[in-house]
Structures are given as C-alpha cells and as structure tokens.
Amino acid sequence: LTARAVDNAGATTTSTPVTINVIPANVPPTVVLTSPSNDSQFTAGQAVTFSASAADSDGTISRVDFFDGATLIGTRSAAPYSISLSSLSTGSHTLTARAVDNAGATTTSAPVTITVNPAVPLTIVPTSPSNNDQFSAGQAITFTASTTGSNPITKVEFFDGAVLFMTETV
C-alpha cells in the first residue's frame, strides 16, 4: 500500500510502500449427527452409539463433543467421531454434536431426539401342555412356552421339578 499527498500548487509525493497480509476469516466447521436417527427408541440399559461426521474446509477438526441436552456426555479428538453409552435414563433425550476446529470456531449439529423406554422384565409362561393334562405312557408330549422381556431370549429350559429335561436354543 502507498499514500500520495497533493499540495495546493499541485505537487505530489508518494510514500514508500507498506506490505500487509490479509488473513481470511476462519470458516466454521461442519458437523452432522449421523447416529442415532431421529425418533429412535431404545430400552434402558441398551447401548446407544452416537456418531458424527465433521469437516473443516480451511483447517482441521480439533474435537467433536457429544451432548444430551446441555450435558456433555463425551468427546472424541480423532475420527471416527463416535461414543457408546448404556447409562441413559428413561425418557426423551435431545442429542447434538459440536465440532471445534483448529482455530476455535464451533458448529453444533441439528438436534436428534430419542426415547429410552423402561426395561421390561423377563417372564415365561408355559403354553403347552396345560395344567392337569393327562398322557399315556410312551405318548409324545410337546412342550412350549411364551416369553417376554426387553432383551432377546437365547434359550428356554424345561424342568420336571428340579431336573432339567430339555433345552431349546432360540
């Protein structure tokens, strides 16, 4: 840059040049919460994986912070930006991810809402044979039971008193 002065007689003089550098403004990073998806349903105690995609067009990502409402629940400083929690309380949760770039600029993702439902206790009800059914010696007997619970059933065991006589793997 230079400056030029002009006096009332029309004489001019120019200053010595000065060099300056214009540093572009820091562009904030981008971030998207990729998992879980909006309106997902989970059961209390079930692991929930939080994943985000983040990028910075004029620098690097320093870290991605994961939030449940205003509460910080985890931070990752390198890709893949992901955490897993199994301690979320029952109810509705509003989740976000915040990316921070190497110059300190931040961007927060669009919120995702999930619901954590109470766990359903494991129950089993014999469905066949019925109470007081009678069978002839040597007759085939079919044993069935109905189960419910929050977690998948992996096997059902049938007992005659305290003696295990059949196991069905599901």
Side-chain angles (χ1 to χ4, degrees):
L1 301 175
T2 59
R4 182 171 39 179
V6 179
D7 67 15
N8 62 351
T12 64
T13 186
T14 303
S15 69
T16 57
V18 175
T19 302
I20 65 169
N21 292 315
V22 177
I23 300 170
N26 182 34
V27 177
T30 59
V31 63
V32 174
L33 193 60
T34 57
S35 176
S37 58
N38 199 43
D39 296 326
S40 293
Q41 301 278 322
F42 298 92
T43 302
Q46 180 180 0
V48 179
T49 299
F50 302 83
S51 297
S53 174
D56 189 32
S57 64
D58 64 345
T60 59
I61 298 296
S62 294
R63 71 177 191 272
V64 173
D65 301 322
F66 294 92
F67 290 88
D68 178 1
T71 303
L72 177 66
I73 56 176
T75 297
R76 291 295 176 260
S77 57
Y81 305 108
S82 183
I83 64 169
S84 185
L85 293 177
S86 57
S87 59
L88 292 173
S89 62
T90 58
S92 180
H93 297 266
T94 301
L95 311 173
T96 55
R98 179 180 66 196
V100 180
D101 73 10
N102 58 305
T106 63
T107 300
T108 301
S109 70
V112 168
T113 301
I114 65 166
T115 302
V116 178
N117 299 308
V120 175
L122 177 62
T123 61
I124 185 166
V125 176
T127 55
S128 176
S130 297
N131 198 30
N132 296 319
D133 278 356
Q134 295 185 12
F135 298 90
S136 301
Q139 182 180 356
I141 303 171
T142 301
F143 295 93
T144 60
S146 174
T147 60
T148 60
S150 294
N151 296 319
I153 305 301
T154 58
K155 69 178 175 178
V156 176
E157 299 173 324
F158 293 91
F159 292 83
D160 181 2
V163 177
L164 174 67
F165 67 89
M166 187 172 82
T167 299
E168 281 295 316
T169 303
V170 180

